[in-house]
Amino acid sequence: MLEINKCKDYQEMSDAVADKVEKQLLKKSEYCLSDNTWCDDSRFILPTGSTPIGLYKELVNRDLDWSDAITYNLDEYLDNTIHEQSYFHFMNENLFKHINIDEDNIWFPYDIAVWPDKEYGENVDLCLLGIGSNGHIAFNEPGSSFESKTRVVDLTEQTIQDNSRFFPSIDDVPTKAITMGLKPIMSSKKIILMANGKHKKDILHKALYGEITEDVPASILQTHTNVGVFYCD
Ligand code: PGA
C-alpha cells in the first residue's frame, strides 16, 4: 500500500521523514522501558545522495538516542581511490559522526561476507530510499531483477552523468558499485521513498502509478504493504 504525501518544500519533507525515524527509535526504547527486558534494536536501511541531506541534518539537530540502532547502507562505489566521495565518508560527515551510534552497528554492503548464510540488511524496521532519475533505487538500475540480492553492478550512463556533479569531471565517477538488491529492500517492514525537485516528478509518477516492471525498479514498491512516499517540487 502506498501512502503519498506532497510536502510544501524540502524542509517540510525532511521534517516529516525525521518524525518517522524518531518514532521508530523511540518505539524501541519505550518498549525496553515498559518491558524491562531485552528488546530488539531498531534496524534501518539508509540512503545517500542529495535528497536525504536535509533529513540527516534534522536528525542531528534532534539529538536522538541511536545507541541501540543498527544501520545498513544501501550502496557504495567500488573504487577505493575516491575516499572523499565514498558513501561511507558521506554518511560519516552528514550523520554518523554527529550521533551516538555504536560504530560496530554501522554496515555497508561490502560487509556482506559477515553474513555468509543471510541476506544483507534483511527484515529491517524502516528502509529509507531516494529515487534516481532513471527509476533506480539504491544502484538497482533499470533491468535489475525484482529477485536481486546484494551484488556488484555496473552503473548506467545516466547514473554516471547524474553523479558527475559530485566529482571534478565525469571521468572521475566510478563505473561500478555494490548495491543492496531489490529483494532485501522489499523485506523491510516499512519503506519511505523521498523525492525532491521537479526533475523527479515524471519518474516518480511512472514508479507509483505506471506499469510494475523491472525497467522501472522503483515500481516494485507498488507491491509492498507499507510504503510512505514524501515528495516536494
Ligand atoms: P539524489 O539521488 O538524492 O542525489 O537525487 C537519488 C538516487 O540516485 O537514488
Side-chain angles (χ1 to χ4, degrees), residues 16-232:
V17 179
D19 288 347
K20 301 283 182 192
V21 173
E22 179 169 0
K23 196 168 154 207
Q24 179 58 48
L25 285 166
L26 288 172
K27 196 167 129 194
K28 294 290 176 169
S29 50
E30 274 169 18
Y31 171 79
C32 284
L33 284 175
S34 59
D35 192 82
N36 209 22
T37 55
W38 180 89
C39 67
D40 282 330
D41 303 325
S42 279
R43 300 168 76 224
F44 297 91
I45 293 174
L46 299 179
T48 52
S50 55
T51 309
I53 289 176
L55 163 67
Y56 293 149
K57 203 165 168 211
E58 180 57 31
L59 289 172
V60 169
N61 285 342
R62 293 187 188 194
D63 199 20
L64 303 168
D65 180 11
W66 290 80
S67 56
D68 287 332
I70 299 175
T71 64
Y72 301 87
N73 261 85
L74 281 170
D75 44 16
E76 178 60 286
Y77 289 122
L78 268 193
D79 184 340
N80 54 20
T81 65
I82 53 143
H83 177 69
E84 296 269 307
Q85 294 305 334
S86 74
Y87 288 169
F88 178 80
H89 182 77
F90 173 97
M91 289 306 300
N92 211 31
E93 289 303 307
N94 287 286
L95 185 67
F96 295 147
K97 78 176 189 190
H98 307 288
I99 60 175
N100 67 340
I101 192 165
D102 180 342
E103 63 182 37
D104 289 344
N105 287 345
I106 296 171
W107 298 99
F108 272 75
Y110 46 71
D111 296 316
I112 190 164
V114 176
W115 289 277
D117 55 350
K118 275 200 216 153
E119 187 55 64
Y120 170 81
E122 212 169 61
N123 298 319
V124 302
D125 301 289
L126 181 57
C127 169
L128 307 176
L129 298 173
I131 181 170
S133 64
N134 60 4
H136 74 205
I137 43 179
F139 277 136
N140 294 288
E141 301 281 33
S144 296
S145 165
F146 283 168
E147 294 297 309
S148 56
K149 295 190 166 190
T150 300
R151 67 206 186 284
V152 171
V153 291
D154 292 314
L155 303 182
T156 60
E157 283 304 316
Q158 179 70 57
T159 297
I160 292 169
Q161 181 69 47
D162 288 351
N163 290 2
S164 64
R165 67 194 195 275
F166 301 115
F167 290 84
S169 89
I170 195 162
D171 296 333
D172 298 308
V173 185
T175 56
K176 282 185 181 293
I178 182 161
T179 186
M180 185 175 279
L182 293 169
K183 199 153 188 224
I185 288 172
M186 290 295 285
S187 76
S188 308
K189 288 179 202 119
K190 181 171 177 64
I191 296 176
I192 290 180
L193 178 71
M194 290 175 283
N196 171 35
K198 286 193 179 27
H199 63 297
K200 293 285 175 75
K201 227 173 160 179
D202 288 350
I203 191 64
L204 189 64
H205 194 270
K206 219 168 162 182
L208 303 182
Y209 303 108
E211 186 192 348
I212 300 170
T213 164
E214 290 174 353
D215 292 337
V216 183
S219 67
I220 194 177
L221 298 175
Q222 294 181 44
T223 67
H224 193 278
T225 52
N226 191 349
V227 178
V229 180
F230 291 83
Y231 75 98
C232 57

